Amino acid sequence: MMRAARRASLLVAFYLLTSVATAYAECAWVMWLEVYDPAHDSQWSVKTAHETKAECDIAVVKAGQALLGGNFELDSAGRGFRPKQGAQYLLFRPTCLPSDTDPRGPKGGGR
Protein backbone atom coordinates (compact mmCIF):
# COMPACT_ATOMS: atom_id res chain seq x y z
CA MET A 1 0.00 0.00 0.00
CA MET A 2 2.83 2.36 0.88
CA ARG A 3 4.51 1.68 -2.47
CA ALA A 4 1.29 2.50 -4.37
CA ALA A 5 0.94 5.79 -2.48
CA ARG A 6 4.56 6.69 -3.26
CA ARG A 7 4.06 5.83 -6.92
CA ALA A 8 0.90 7.96 -7.04
CA SER A 9 2.66 10.93 -5.42
CA LEU A 10 5.59 10.60 -7.84
CA LEU A 11 3.16 10.51 -10.75
CA VAL A 12 1.45 13.68 -9.51
CA ALA A 13 4.85 15.37 -9.14
CA PHE A 14 5.78 14.29 -12.65
CA TYR A 15 2.46 15.60 -13.98
CA LEU A 16 3.02 18.99 -12.35
CA LEU A 17 6.55 19.22 -13.74
CA THR A 18 5.49 18.41 -17.29
CA SER A 19 2.39 20.56 -17.60
CA VAL A 20 2.66 23.73 -19.66
CA ALA A 21 2.24 26.84 -17.52
CA THR A 22 0.31 28.89 -20.07
CA ALA A 23 -3.20 27.71 -20.93
CA TYR A 24 -4.52 28.26 -24.44
CA ALA A 25 -8.31 28.04 -24.21
CA GLU A 26 -9.11 27.85 -27.93
CA CYS A 27 -6.52 25.55 -29.46
CA ALA A 28 -5.91 21.84 -29.65
CA TRP A 29 -3.26 20.12 -27.58
CA VAL A 30 -0.75 17.48 -28.60
CA MET A 31 0.99 14.95 -26.39
CA TRP A 32 4.60 14.62 -27.51
CA LEU A 33 7.03 11.99 -26.29
CA GLU A 34 10.62 13.11 -25.87
CA VAL A 35 13.29 10.42 -25.77
CA TYR A 36 16.52 11.99 -24.57
CA ASP A 37 19.81 10.30 -25.25
CA PRO A 38 22.83 12.50 -24.42
CA ALA A 39 24.76 10.92 -27.30
CA HIS A 40 22.10 11.92 -29.84
CA ASP A 41 20.16 14.78 -28.20
CA SER A 42 16.36 14.62 -28.02
CA GLN A 43 14.06 12.78 -30.38
CA TRP A 44 10.45 14.00 -30.33
CA SER A 45 7.37 12.20 -31.65
CA VAL A 46 3.66 13.03 -31.61
CA LYS A 47 1.66 10.46 -29.66
CA THR A 48 -1.91 11.81 -29.38
CA ALA A 49 -3.98 14.95 -30.09
CA HIS A 50 -6.69 16.36 -27.81
CA GLU A 51 -9.28 19.12 -27.92
CA THR A 52 -8.45 20.46 -24.46
CA LYS A 53 -5.40 20.72 -22.25
CA ALA A 54 -7.22 18.79 -19.53
CA GLU A 55 -7.70 15.83 -21.90
CA CYS A 56 -4.04 15.98 -22.90
CA ASP A 57 -2.95 16.13 -19.26
CA ILE A 58 -4.99 12.98 -18.58
CA ALA A 59 -3.21 11.29 -21.49
CA VAL A 60 0.17 12.26 -19.98
CA VAL A 61 -0.82 10.72 -16.65
CA LYS A 62 -1.99 7.54 -18.42
CA ALA A 63 1.25 7.39 -20.40
CA GLY A 64 3.18 7.74 -17.13
CA GLN A 65 1.13 4.99 -15.53
CA ALA A 66 1.78 2.73 -18.53
CA LEU A 67 5.52 3.39 -18.33
CA LEU A 68 5.55 2.74 -14.58
CA GLY A 69 3.56 -0.44 -15.12
CA GLY A 70 6.15 -1.63 -17.62
CA ASN A 71 9.91 -1.67 -17.42
CA PHE A 72 10.35 1.99 -16.45
CA GLU A 73 10.75 3.99 -13.28
CA LEU A 74 10.62 7.69 -12.50
CA ASP A 75 14.10 9.16 -12.70
CA SER A 76 15.60 10.51 -9.48
CA ALA A 77 14.97 14.16 -10.44
CA GLY A 78 11.34 13.56 -11.46
CA ARG A 79 11.97 14.74 -15.04
CA GLY A 80 10.76 11.63 -16.80
CA PHE A 81 11.10 7.86 -16.94
CA ARG A 82 14.21 5.70 -17.26
CA PRO A 83 14.43 2.01 -18.14
CA LYS A 84 14.72 -0.15 -15.01
CA GLN A 85 17.42 -2.15 -16.77
CA GLY A 86 19.66 -1.42 -19.71
CA ALA A 87 20.47 2.08 -20.94
CA GLN A 88 20.08 4.19 -17.78
CA TYR A 89 21.04 7.39 -19.59
CA LEU A 90 17.84 7.36 -21.71
CA LEU A 91 14.98 9.55 -20.49
CA PHE A 92 11.39 9.24 -21.72
CA ARG A 93 9.15 12.26 -21.11
CA PRO A 94 5.54 12.71 -22.31
CA THR A 95 4.56 16.40 -22.54
CA CYS A 96 1.48 18.37 -23.61
CA LEU A 97 1.99 21.35 -25.90
CA PRO A 98 -0.40 23.57 -27.88
CA SER A 99 -0.91 22.20 -31.40
CA ASP A 100 0.95 25.13 -32.95
CA THR A 101 4.09 24.40 -30.88
CA ASP A 102 6.77 22.09 -32.23
CA PRO A 103 9.49 21.21 -29.67
CA ARG A 104 11.85 20.21 -32.49
CA GLY A 105 12.30 23.88 -33.40
CA PRO A 106 11.73 25.75 -36.66
CA LYS A 107 11.43 23.76 -39.88
CA GLY A 108 13.72 24.18 -42.83
CA GLY A 109 16.89 24.70 -40.81
CA GLY A 110 18.75 21.77 -42.31
CA ARG A 111 17.04 19.15 -40.12
Side-chain angles (χ1 to χ4, degrees), residues 3 7 64-75 81-92:
R3 186 175 184 158
R7 182 177 284 181
Q65 289 171 333
L67 288 167
L68 285 174
N71 294 321
F72 294 86
E73 60 192 2
L74 196 62
D75 85 318
F81 300 92
R82 295 194 183 285
K84 288 180 182 175
Q85 297 177 352
Q88 290 295 301
Y89 54 85
L90 292 176
L91 181 70
F92 295 78

Side-chain angles (χ1 to χ4, degrees), residues 9-92:
S9 66
L10 288 173
L11 194 56
V12 169
F14 171 74
Y15 165 77
L16 293 173
L17 289 172
T18 60
S19 65
V20 178
T22 307
Y24 294 86
E26 296 182 10
C27 72
W29 289 83
V30 175
M31 183 178 77
W32 290 82
L33 179 65
E34 175 188 18
V35 179
Y36 176 73
D37 177 349
H40 299 100
D41 209 12
S42 290
Q43 297 290 321
W44 291 89
S45 60
V46 172
K47 292 302 171 191
T48 57
H50 305 274
E51 289 186 24
T52 67
K53 183 172 184 318
E55 291 172 358
C56 191
D57 288 342
I58 290 169
V60 165
V61 171
K62 287 181 179 180
Q65 289 171 333
L67 288 167
L68 285 174
N71 294 321
F72 294 86
E73 60 192 2
L74 196 62
D75 85 318
S76 61
R79 298 169 297 184
F81 300 92
R82 295 194 183 285
K84 288 180 182 175
Q85 297 177 352
Q88 290 295 301
Y89 54 85
L90 292 176
L91 181 70
F92 295 78

